[in-house]
Amino acid sequence: HHLFNSQLIYGIKIALSLAGAVLIPLLLGSEAISIPAILGVVAAGLTELDDNLRGRIRTVLFILLSFFIAASGVEFLFGKPIPFFIGIVVASFLFVILGAFGERYATIAFGVLVIAIYTMLAYKPDQAWYIQPLLLVGGALWYNLIALFFALFWPTRPLQESLANTFDHLSAYLEVKSHFFDPDEGDDFEAQKLALARAASTLRAMIDDTRRLLM
């Protein structure tokens, strides 16, 4: 149903996570921890990956560990310009290389770079180094717990939408291909070939995505 498409569910997850990141510190009387918690929620939302339950838990643990290491590295090096510059350059290079291994790793690498930037934005030199990383990771963990709750209720939703999108693109591909049988379109043969190649490429990508979700 359109009321339960992925975009709407994603928006609800973000809204609930942000509400919790604001209200829980408010109830505890520690409003100052809201900002890093919110930043952690946003970073986690940007790195969410659809997977089965075991794969999702494994991925979340890896992401949280990566977030903590990145945030701790920024905390240690931020007040030291030369080591900080070298660390950022090396880390950025490594994450770009990691992203070349596939979309999953590229998403994780992007999230780690985002969490490093968020750590710089909320950096407090008079604060213990571990507080900021723990708050950021806490926000990310909170989002992933809510996302896990939704995944348990709608475990096949990503696959259903991927199948629907695949059939939509198959329909578009067949429609483009049908233009080759129209005698009035003969003068624009090269444009038709280009359009067909684009439709085939998009359809192939959708089929690969659906196969990945099925596996």
Side-chain angles (χ1 to χ4, degrees):
H1 195 279
H2 291 298
L3 290 177
F4 295 98
N5 60 49
S6 294
Q7 288 77 17
L8 179 60
I9 292 175
Y10 179 73
I12 293 173
K13 288 187 290 187
I14 288 289
L16 290 176
S17 302
L18 291 176
V22 172
L23 293 177
I24 293 175
L26 211 60
L27 294 174
L28 295 175
S30 304
E31 295 87 347
I33 69 175
S34 290
I35 294 177
I38 290 171
L39 295 176
V41 166
V42 174
L46 294 173
T47 55
E48 185 184 2
L49 295 166
D50 289 321
D51 211 339
N52 58 56
L53 183 60
R54 182 184 300 176
R56 179 182 286 267
I57 293 174
R58 186 169 57 244
T59 301
V60 166
L61 291 176
F62 177 72
I63 289 174
L64 295 178
L65 179 62
S66 301
F67 280 8
F68 183 80
I69 293 173
S72 299
V74 171
E75 287 282 335
F76 276 120
L77 299 176
F78 195 65
K80 306 167 186 174
I82 295 178
F84 179 75
F85 174 76
I86 295 173
I88 286 293
V89 170
V90 172
S92 299
F93 174 77
L94 292 176
F95 287 134
V96 169
I97 296 298
L98 180 65
F101 287 97
E103 182 181 355
R104 173 181 296 268
Y105 296 103
T107 302
I108 295 174
F110 173 72
V112 173
L113 289 175
V114 168
I115 211 72
I117 294 171
Y118 286 168
T119 307
M120 287 185 272
L121 292 175
Y123 176 74
K124 295 179 181 178
D126 56 339
Q127 193 176 62
W129 68 268
Y130 55 85
I131 294 179
Q132 187 93 303
L134 287 177
L135 292 174
L136 289 166
V137 170
L141 176 61
W142 170 244
Y143 173 83
N144 280 292
L145 288 175
I146 291 177
L148 182 62
F149 174 81
F150 275 84
L152 291 174
F153 272 88
W154 289 286
T156 61
R157 189 67 196 182
L159 177 59
Q160 291 172 339
E161 290 201 349
S162 182
L163 281 169
N165 289 331
T166 298
F167 281 108
D168 280 343
H169 284 87
L170 176 60
S171 172
Y173 171 79
L174 293 175
E175 183 176 356
V176 172
K177 196 169 186 179
S178 69
H179 293 166
F180 285 89
F181 300 95
D182 188 347
D184 296 329
E185 299 289 340
D187 297 334
D188 204 12
F189 186 68
E190 291 301 321
Q192 291 177 1
K193 284 182 16 181
L194 181 60
L196 182 65
R198 289 174 175 168
S201 176
T202 304
L203 176 61
R204 186 162 51 247
M206 291 303 306
I207 291 174
D208 288 341
D209 184 60
T210 303
R211 184 173 64 240
R212 178 184 62 80
L213 289 171
L214 281 169
M215 296 299 292

